[in-house]
Amino acid sequence: MNILLTNDDGIDAAGLRQLADALGRAASIYVCAPKEQKSASGHGITVIKRLNFREVKYPGAARAIEIDGTPADCVKVGLYRLKQDGILIDKVFSGINHGSNLGTDTLYSGTVGAAMEGALNMKPSVAVSVDARNPIFFEAASRLALSAAALPIEAHGHRTVLNINVPDAPPNEIKGVKITRLGVMEYTEEFNEEYSSEEDRGYWYAARQVFTRNGAPDVDVTEHRRGYATITPLQSDLTDEGLIKEMLQDNRWDNIDLNLSGF
């Protein structure tokens, strides 16, 4: 099995090295990762400038590429360049991220965005995160990644991302594993202004997380706060199935005048 690894914390991040070490026990490892920190890149890709890359040495990897682009760029370029050289990737893994990617945070996450790019390329993909900006414990996350790597494709799906989040704790202190759906991560929307002059001023994002006490028991945010590792299957289809049924029954859209003067 050939696995492509990437992340959004940069190619030198400890979590990526831990993931390469773990998955190297089960597969040939290929790394294509950002040159520097790219957290909260979402699923963005680079289209208005050249993507610069270079091949580098990486412990445990058959090949490694460093790119000055986003995590999703890394998956696109990695799959393309390796295929050009006759290497076909079986699965894509993103992580181990320094910090959780739970609930609606997945929409901002470069880690999840990279995994979703793998899924859009018909590769079973996995995003792995540990809930700490400077994680100490990677063992449980690595073990769950190995378990995900062992899943047959029919049990995983080509267009599905398994989003794994693990507390930053020793394995014996984690209560277990819960299969969950996405919850909601709430924040206070705050910015710190930095001012030197009228021509030199800006904002630093300074939001604080709002902790809700009584979440549903099958939601990733809730179970993670209870001390469990969580696995949430994600897909790219964001369609609101309930609302689309209502809209199809609403005939106001059938004969609408599309000329602005008719409004």
Side-chain angles (χ1 to χ4, degrees):
M1 180 165 56
N2 294 326
I3 292 180
L4 177 66
L5 298 190
T6 192
N7 70 349
D8 73 359
D9 291 314
I11 196 166
D12 295 322
L16 183 65
R17 291 182 181 270
Q18 292 285 338
L19 189 58
D21 181 63
L23 294 179
R25 306 177 191 188
S28 296
I29 300 302
Y30 296 85
V31 173
C32 190
K35 179 181 179 180
E36 56 194 12
Q37 173 65 251
K38 292 291 181 179
S39 288
S41 298
H43 200 153
I45 59 172
T46 301
V47 295
I48 59 172
K49 72 179 186 73
R50 187 180 73 176
L51 281 171
N52 298 308
F53 71 92
R54 66 182 183 122
E55 300 243 359
V56 297
K57 292 183 178 180
Y58 197 90
R63 285 177 64 182
I65 303 170
E66 176 186 272
I67 296 183
D68 67 349
T70 69
D73 284 332
C74 292
V75 174
K76 280 185 174 292
V77 171
L79 292 175
Y80 173 81
R81 184 165 177 81
L82 291 170
K83 185 178 181 180
Q84 294 294 105
D85 295 336
I87 300 166
L88 298 180
I89 293 298
D90 298 297
K91 293 189 176 185
V92 173
F93 276 72
S94 182
I96 298 172
N97 192 61
H98 297 194
S100 65
N101 282 299
L102 296 161
T104 44
D105 279 0
T106 57
L107 297 172
Y108 301 103
S109 169
T111 302
V112 175
M116 191 60 72
E117 182 60 34
L120 292 180
N121 282 274
M122 299 295 287
K123 306 297 182 184
S125 299
V126 181
V128 189
S129 304
V130 171
D131 188 20
R133 287 301 169 196
N134 295 291
I136 299 173
F137 301 100
F138 291 100
E139 185 177 353
S142 297
R143 180 66 182 85
L144 286 174
L146 270 172
S147 296
L151 281 176
I153 289 176
E154 59 270 19
H156 186 148
H158 288 93
R159 289 190 177 274
T160 301
V161 171
L162 297 183
N163 186 37
I164 298 173
N165 283 275
V166 183
D168 186 31
N172 64 334
E173 293 182 13
I174 298 172
K175 291 183 178 180
V177 179
K178 294 283 189 178
I179 307 302
T180 56
R181 54 192 177 89
L182 285 183
V184 176
M185 294 290 283
E186 298 180 80
Y187 296 88
T188 62
E189 290 298 325
E190 298 178 20
F191 292 84
N192 292 331
E193 184 172 2
E194 189 173 89
Y195 179 91
S196 297
S197 67
E198 287 298 324
E199 290 74 32
D200 183 15
R201 62 191 304 183
Y203 286 114
W204 291 98
Y205 190 51
R208 292 178 291 109
Q209 189 174 336
V210 177
F211 290 93
T212 53
R213 293 179 178 270
N214 298 309
D218 61 343
V219 166
D220 59 351
V221 177
T222 305
E223 298 296 357
H224 191 76
R225 288 173 182 165
R226 291 176 59 202
Y228 288 91
T230 63
I231 304 177
T232 306
L234 305 178
Q235 57 188 8
S236 60
D237 185 355
L238 302 179
T239 306
D240 186 327
E241 297 292 347
L243 185 56
I244 200 172
K245 291 177 182 178
E246 293 180 19
M247 293 180 72
L248 287 170
Q249 295 172 0
D250 186 349
N251 61 13
R252 81 180 69 190
W253 302 103
D254 296 342
N255 301 307
I256 192 167
D257 185 353
L258 297 179
N259 293 300
L260 184 59
S261 60
F263 185 77

